[in-house]
């Protein structure tokens, strides 16, 4: 609707923008570099962030950085994940059918990973998303999975991605000391600051193909205040503002329009 009004070829504030057109904040760039390093060294990494701060975006970028000729990426996102379904999901991505007993499946997985490493000359990277929802049994199983050749080497790189409670309410507790001690890299994604919010908006508008300057500096500041620097909320505030501007036949979005849509859409203070 508003895309035609503003002369856009693409919708700017959606989550399916190609990774090479996304805004790369310094925090994301740093996190991405550290993840690639962890993958190359077969490390155990943990990524945490508040909701909407770019965890899924980081995973997409991470996948894009890993060359398929060098890495085998395995990805699972399941809030009800159990050891049995962990091995079934990973084996399925490797083209194998899991055994009824999870212990047998684990050995099958370790053997197949070794084959990928030695025969295909690839490094295996396993990403478990929504990891803050994993129970103690599942987290303990990951520790056992990483035990390999008398704990002398890791069979693969493991990346846990989840909300901040993964660390604050689980991994930092004494009950999880054994698995916490195995973590090689702890990555925390923060929110965007005011300047980064402006660059984020500009990058998304550039992707849309519009030749117009749409958001005033005051509007960008208001977007930052309302979203508190959370990318997901920046998208929603900007989208609502563009729609409202289109309805009002306004070519420019100012701070008053942003505040109006935020109040009426209940987006104030970063809460919908």
């Amino acid at each position: 609707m508003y895309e035609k009004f503003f002369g856009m070829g693409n919708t700017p504030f959606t989550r399916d923008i190609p990774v090479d057109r996304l805004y790369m904040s310094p925090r994301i760039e740093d996190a991405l570099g550290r993840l690639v390093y962890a993958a190359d060294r077969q490390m155990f990494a943990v990524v945490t962030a508040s909701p909407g701060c770019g965890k899924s975006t980081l995973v997409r970028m991470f996948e894009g950085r890993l060359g398929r000729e060098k890495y085998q990426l395995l990805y699972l996102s399941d809030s009800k994940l159990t050891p049995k379904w962990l091995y079934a999901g990973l084996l399925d991505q490797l083209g194998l059918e899991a055994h009824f007993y999870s212990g047998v499946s684990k050995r099958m997985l370790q053997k197949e990973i070794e084959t990928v490493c030695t025969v295909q000359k690839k490094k295996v990277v396993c990403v478990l998303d929504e990891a803050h929802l994993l129970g103690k049994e599942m987290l303990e199983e990951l520790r056992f999975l990483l035990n390999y050749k008398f704990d002398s080497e890791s069979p693969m790189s493991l990346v846990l991605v989840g909300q901040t409670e993964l660390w604050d309410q689980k991994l930092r507790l004494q009950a999880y000391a054994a698995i916490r001690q195995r973590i090689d890299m702890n990555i925390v994604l923060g929110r965007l600051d005011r300047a980064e919010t402006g660059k984020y908006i500009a990058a998304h508008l550039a992707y849309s193909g519009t030749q117009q300057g749409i958001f005033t500096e005051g509007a960008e500041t208001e977007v930052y205040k309302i979203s508190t620097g959370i990318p997901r909320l920046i998208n929603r505030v900007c989208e609502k503002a563009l729609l409202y501007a289109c309805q009002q036949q306004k070519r420019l979005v100012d701070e008053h329009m942003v505040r109006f849509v935020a109040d009426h859409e209940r987006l104030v203070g970063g809460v919908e």
Side-chain angles (χ1 to χ4, degrees), residues 34-35 38-39 43-47 126 157-161 182-187:
R34 294 172 70 189
L35 280 179
M43 292 178 171
F44 180 14
V46 173
V47 179
C126 176
S157 176
L158 176 62
V159 181
L160 299 186
V161 181
R182 292 182 175 273
I183 297 172
D184 300 299
M185 198 168 289
N186 183 24
I187 301 169

Side-chain angles (χ1 to χ4, degrees), residues 2 5-6 13 201 214-215 219-220 222-223 226 233-262 265 267:
Y2 63 78
F5 179 76
F6 287 109
F13 296 101
I201 293 172
I214 299 175
F215 287 81
E220 291 180 355
E222 200 63 28
V223 170
I226 293 165
L233 289 178
I234 293 173
N235 287 347
R236 291 178 182 173
V237 174
C238 288
E239 180 186 35
K240 304 295 184 185
L242 289 172
L243 181 58
Y244 179 68
C246 174
Q247 292 170 335
Q248 299 299 311
Q249 295 293 292
K250 301 289 186 180
R251 298 288 181 180
L252 206 61
V253 175
D254 61 23
E255 62 268 32
H256 302 295
M257 298 170 71
V258 173
R259 172 56 56 180
F260 178 84
V261 297
E265 296 287 343
L267 295 172

Side-chain angles (χ1 to χ4, degrees), residues 15 22 30 62 76 83 116 128 132 190 193 214 216 232 244:
R15 58 184 180 182
L22 290 168
D30 176 70
F62 181 45
L76 285 178
V116 171
L128 298 184
H132 56 284
D193 61 24
I214 299 175
T216 66
R232 183 183 297 162
Y244 179 68

